[in-house]
Structures are given as structure tokens and as C-alpha cells.
Amino acid sequence: MTGGLYSRLIIACAILLSVLLTGLGIVLGQFFPLFSNESGLDLQRKYWLFLIVTLVLAFVLAFFIATRMMLQYARPIDQVTKTAVQIARGDYLARTQTDEFEFDNELAVAIDKIGNNLQEMSMLRTMEKERLKTLIESMGSGLLMFGREGSVNLLNGVFEKTFGFSKSEVIGKTFKSIGLPTDIENLIEEVFMTEQVHEKQVRVDVGGVSSYMSVYGAPVIGHHGNWLGIIVVLHDITKLVQLEEVRKDFVANVSHELRTPVTSIKGFTETLLDGAMEDPVILKEFLGIIQKESDRLHYLIDDLLALSGMERDGFSLQFTAVNLNAVIEDAIRGVSGKLERKSMDVLVTIPDDFILEADADRLIQVMVNLLSNAINYSKEQTKITVTVKKRQDDAVIEVRDEGIGIAQSELPRLFERFYRVDRARSRESGGTGLGLAIVKHLVEAHGGTVDVKSVMGQGTAFQIRIPMQQVEKQSV
Ligand code: ADP
């Protein structure tokens, strides 16, 4: 309604002006007889004529003035007022369009500028809001925010997924009524109570799955230092915790593996020094044991160094054209002593001059480990067969024995470091528990795979697949 206020005022003024002019005409009409010597009807006619002319003139004048004023002032002001109201209501695209008016449009320019500025600010705000929303949704951690009054006012997708909540279930609720794990509830409570940052690691069990979270809670403080609520960030550290477990296990295993031969060596040496060395038979027997245990220590340290070398950054293989026939011969030569001791034979089936791109020394290491196991876990006088075939772009090498076999349930863990099916037997045969872990590492460094099939009591077959050509130099 404000839109036409000035126009209506001007119309009212024009009417008032007409009335005033007409009134003036009537008043002036009263002096008519004074200036005329006519009387009666003629005078009255002239009087009316004068009145009508005055009236018409008054209306024409008022109309002219009103139109000029309307065009020049009232309509632009009404238009500017209308635009200002539109902008105030949030329509930042509204503009005065005052170009069509003959009007000193400083006000209109200012209003348009305000509109422009507000539109830009609103665009920036929308962009920032979008950016923040994208950031919150794509940050790999769960996020939960509580307002000053203690109820949830924001959560992201990761949080919903972690706890199986939906936004509509959680928004507006207090932290105690969401159903969060107790440790997280306690942390939130501490942040609310102390208005300080709190951080802890918690174990979360959701839907039968356990995971570890690093939970960080902090008060949200506004620009003027006023307290706006709290924010809780949950970061999944399950993988880190598992890695830490593996590391701890590894250190414990290494310590245990090293301690056993060292204890043995120490014990036998002390017994010898205490007098047992006077007996040449016992001396020979104990020195034999000491030698065996030191060999074991030596193998263990060698394997540990090999593994840690492979796991170090920058480990790379030396790829050349390798004759696999020669590699297998070298490996068999390497285990010939063991083969002889158990009267075992290796039967090799391989096409002549089988050439592939590989690291010869590492491939020999792989074959020695597999052949050693085949010997260690087989009875005397049994046979080992090594078969090499080319399948598509891969070389497939199979090492099959007629040994004790491995239960199906053991197969998934076989390539783990220090995993042994029969600890005593492995120890007896001088095994370190690292052989297959090394095999897997080296085969994968060649871009290949290793597979195992076994039947208890009948034997085991390890199958390696390695690309004939390396696409690019592999490194682990
Ligand atoms: P180890 O030094 O104990 O032989 P490996 O990593 O080479 O360690 O092998 C892990 C375990 O897998 C062995 O302890 C053994 O129980 C089992 N294993 C490996 N190869 C064979 C095989 N050819 N036949 C039966 N069991 C095997």
C-alpha cells in the first residue's frame, strides 16, 4: 500500500488546488458587479462564464501540475520505495528501473547498490554454506554438533553410517537420549561440564562389529567469546590399532624366537663350563646342540633382515631376462644337503630355456624356501615335483610334495609372519616361521600371486604365478 503513497498525496494536493482555485474564482466573482455596470441577466451570465472558465483553468492547471509532479517525483519515489520493500523482504534481485524517469536518481542508485551488495553477499553466503556442507560431508570423520541448549543441531553422513542413525532421529535430541556408547556420552558430558577440549580412544561395538575411534570433543566459542555449544569429531583408527597390534605381536614373537636359542646356548655352555666338558661324549653332543641353536639364530636374523629390507621404502628388484631352468637348478643345489639327509628327490618338468623377466636372486630365494618346506614337512624317501608352465602371459611354477599336508583351516594364516601349524615340528626342522612370509613378499614384488592347496596326509602344492614381462619396475 505504501507503493502509491506519494502519487495519492499529489492527487489529493491537485484536488485541493482545484478546490482552492475554484473557491478563489467564486470569491473573485463576488467583486464582479463592482467592475461592471451591467445588471441582471447579463451580469449573471458573465459571472457564470467567469466561474466556468476559472473552474476549467483550475482543473487544467491542477492536472498539469499533478501530472508533472507525478512523473518527476511521485512515481520514481514510489518505485524506489517498492524496490526497497522487496529487498527488505529478501528479494535481492529487485531493482528500481529508474532510468525511465526524469528524476535525480541518487536514492534509486543507492537502493540498487544495496540490492547488488546484498545479492553478492547472499551468493557468497550460499557458496560458503555449500562449501562447508561439502566439507562436513566429505571429511572422513564423523561429526556431531550440539547447540547451546545441549541438543544436536548438526551431524554428518559418516556419523550416521558409523552408528546406524538417521539425521531425523537425532536432530534436536540431547546427547543422553541418542543412544551413543557410554564412553562417548561421558566425554560429551565432560566437555559440557568443563568447557574444555577432551580427547580419548574408545572401542565401539555396532551391529556386532568392533571398531576403534579417536573421539575429540571441544567447546564451540563464537566471535565475541560466547559459548555456542560443543563439537564432537570421531575418527576411525581401527586400522592403526590393528597395525599397532601386529607390531606388538611381531616384537613379542621376535623376542620369543630369539630368546629360545639364546637360552639354550647359554644353558648348555654353562653346563659345559660347570664340568660337563670333561666328558668328551657330552662335550661333543652339547657343542652340536650349541651349533644347531646358533644356526637357528643365524637363519632367524637373516630372515628378519630380509623381511625388514623388503618392507623398507625404496626396496626394488633387479629385473633381468632370467633363465628359470637355471634358477631352479641353483635352488635345488641350495637344498641338496637336506635332500640327501632325507633321501629325497626333486623331479623337475620345465620347457627348455624358459626365459622370463625377474630378479634371479630373489626367485632363487623363493624356490629355496618352498623346497626347504617341502623337505622339512615330508617323510624320508618321498618325492618333490617342480612343474613350470606358461599360462597366457604368466609363468606358473608349482612345488608339490607328498608330505604331512596342512589342514584347510590353517591355510588362510599360513603366510603370516611367525605363523606355524606345528610349532615343535617347525622348530625341530630349523624353521624360522618367516619363510612363507618372505615368499609372499617377493612374489608380490614381482607382480605375481602365490596360492596353496593341501590334503592332510597326502601332500601340499604351492603355486606361484609371475608375469613373464614386467609392465613397469615393481617395488614394495
Ligand atoms: P617355517 O620356518 O616354520 O617352515 P614357513 O613360513 O616357511 O615357516 O611356514 C609356515 C608354516 O607352514 C610351517 O611352520 C608349517 O607348519 C607350514 N608349512 C609350510 N610349508 C609346508 C609344507 N610343504 N607342508 C606342510 N606344512 C607346511
Side-chain angles (χ1 to χ4, degrees):
M1 289 309 281
T2 350
L5 182 66
Y6 286 97
S7 307
R8 273 181 274 148
L9 261 175
I10 285 173
I11 291 167
C13 289
I15 293 170
L16 195 67
L17 186 68
S18 320
V19 171
L20 278 175
L21 284 172
T22 314
L24 189 68
I26 294 170
V27 172
L28 284 176
Q30 299 307 312
F31 297 103
F32 226 69
L34 297 178
F35 303 105
S36 173
N37 41 15
E38 293 170 52
S39 61
L41 266 174
D42 280 346
L43 186 67
Q44 221 169 16
R45 206 181 302 132
K46 277 193 180 163
Y47 174 70
W48 278 111
L49 192 69
F50 174 75
L51 215 61
I52 288 166
V53 170
T54 315
L55 199 67
V56 169
L57 273 176
F59 271 110
V60 169
L61 192 67
F63 181 76
F64 177 75
I65 294 172
T67 314
R68 281 296 300 166
M69 284 181 74
M70 288 243 295
L71 275 175
Q72 212 167 342
Y73 302 108
R75 268 184 56 203
I77 290 176
D78 284 345
Q79 181 67 25
V80 169
T81 313
K82 204 174 124 201
T83 309
V85 170
Q86 277 175 296
I87 291 174
R89 283 194 188 128
D91 176 7
Y92 301 145
L93 289 173
R95 294 292 177 271
T96 55
Q97 293 158 351
T98 45
D99 297 347
E100 48 191 87
F101 305 121
E102 309 162 19
F103 175 60
D104 172 19
N105 55 3
E106 220 174 312
L107 177 64
V109 170
I111 295 276
D112 282 353
K113 205 156 185 180
I114 291 174
N116 273 336
N117 290 348
L118 284 172
Q119 190 191 350
E120 256 172 45
M121 273 163 64
S122 131
M123 263 166 61
L124 274 176
R125 234 185 112 216
T126 316
M127 260 169 61
E128 260 169 30
K129 237 170 120 181
E130 281 303 312
R131 213 179 291 163
L132 194 68
K133 205 173 144 198
T134 318
L135 189 91
I136 286 172
E137 282 308 323
S138 53
M139 63 187 274
S141 311
L143 182 101
L144 185 67
M145 204 171 153
F146 295 89
R148 204 184 321 204
E149 70 298 338
S151 56
V152 177
N153 58 19
L154 186 109
L155 69 153
N156 70 353
V158 178
F159 188 89
E160 285 181 282
K161 226 169 104 189
T162 308
F163 294 100
F165 293 148
S166 76
K167 278 197 176 84
S168 53
E169 276 174 356
V170 178
I171 295 280
K173 284 195 176 170
T174 59
F175 72 92
K176 289 262 185 201
S177 56
I178 304 173
L180 287 168
T182 324
D183 284 340
I184 300 181
E185 268 184 12
N186 292 344
L187 180 128
I188 295 173
E189 193 164 17
E190 276 175 60
V191 180
F192 267 120
M193 306 273 284
T194 60
E195 294 183 17
Q196 300 273 327
V197 171
H198 286 269
E199 199 174 1
K200 70 170 144 184
Q201 281 185 18
V202 298
R203 195 184 132 147
V204 177
D205 296 290
V206 180
V209 182
S210 294
S211 53
Y212 292 87
M213 300 270 167
S214 162
V215 190
Y216 173 89
V220 182
I221 311 291
H223 282 312
H224 308 292
N226 48 331
W227 195 75
L228 299 176
I230 73 159
I231 189 164
V232 179
V233 180
L234 294 110
H235 191 61
D236 192 335
I237 50 162
T238 313
K239 280 210 177 94
L240 278 178
V241 172
Q242 281 167 351
L243 271 177
E244 182 59 16
E245 287 299 315
V246 170
R247 194 192 64 79
K248 279 185 195 159
D249 283 356
F250 182 69
V251 172
N253 277 325
V254 170
S255 319
H256 179 76
E257 295 293 332
L258 289 174
R259 207 179 62 182
T260 318
V262 169
T263 313
S264 177
I265 292 169
K266 192 169 177 281
F268 282 105
T269 319
E270 279 169 4
T271 318
L272 285 178
L273 288 173
D274 279 350
M277 65 179 181
E278 304 305 332
D279 182 339
V281 181
I282 294 183
L283 177 66
K284 196 165 178 225
E285 187 193 336
F286 282 15
L287 281 177
I289 296 171
I290 290 171
Q291 188 188 25
K292 203 175 158 195
E293 293 299 329
S294 4
D295 280 348
R296 220 145 72 81
L297 263 182
H298 181 84
Y299 296 141
L300 187 64
I301 290 165
D302 270 359
D303 278 358
L304 280 172
L305 283 176
L307 256 186
S308 80
M310 285 169 212
E311 284 172 350
R312 202 170 297 146
D313 275 348
F315 168 76
S316 62
L317 301 180
Q318 303 302 314
F319 290 110
T320 51
V322 171
N323 185 325
L324 196 55
N325 312 60
V327 164
I328 293 170
E329 269 172 36
D330 278 354
I332 294 174
R333 213 171 298 125
V335 294
S336 56
K338 283 185 180 179
L339 281 170
E340 248 172 62
R341 275 195 293 281
K342 289 186 93 170
S343 313
M344 290 175 72
D345 263 341
V346 184
L347 197 84
V348 183
T349 314
I350 180 170
D352 291 339
D353 291 325
F354 196 101
I355 309 289
L356 81 162
E357 200 184 348
D359 182 323
D361 289 341
R362 306 296 182 170
L363 220 48
I364 293 173
Q365 200 174 349
V366 167
M367 290 308 293
V368 166
N369 284 7
L370 292 180
L371 286 171
S372 299
N373 281 350
I375 301 166
N376 289 344
Y377 303 105
S378 297
K379 287 200 187 79
E380 290 184 1
Q381 292 178 343
T382 52
K383 203 169 64 224
I384 299 170
T385 50
V386 176
T387 319
V388 179
K389 281 182 190 146
K390 184 170 178 284
R391 227 174 265 160
Q392 280 119 34
D393 297 328
D394 293 337
V396 180
I397 310 165
E398 189 186 78
V399 180
R400 181 182 289 272
D401 63 50
E402 300 168 344
I404 57 171
I406 306 163
Q408 291 300 307
S409 56
E410 307 280 357
L411 295 181
R413 298 197 59 191
L414 214 61
F415 296 93
E416 285 176 23
R417 291 179 291 191
F418 295 117
Y419 187 78
R420 289 148 163 147
V421 179
D422 182 343
R423 193 162 279 272
R425 189 168 186 140
S426 161
R427 203 172 288 281
E428 182 53 36
S429 63
T432 60
L434 296 172
L436 288 180
I438 292 173
V439 166
K440 189 163 190 271
H441 240 294
L442 290 178
V443 170
E444 286 176 355
H446 276 85
T449 54
V450 52
D451 206 9
V452 56
K453 286 193 178 69
S454 188
V455 179
M456 283 294 281
Q458 288 186 24
T460 304
F462 284 90
Q463 196 184 68
I464 294 166
R465 253 184 123 102
I466 296 178
M468 297 288 292
Q469 297 279 320
Q470 294 295 320
V471 182
E472 55 188 62
K473 298 274 177 264
Q474 311 279 342
S475 69
V476 283

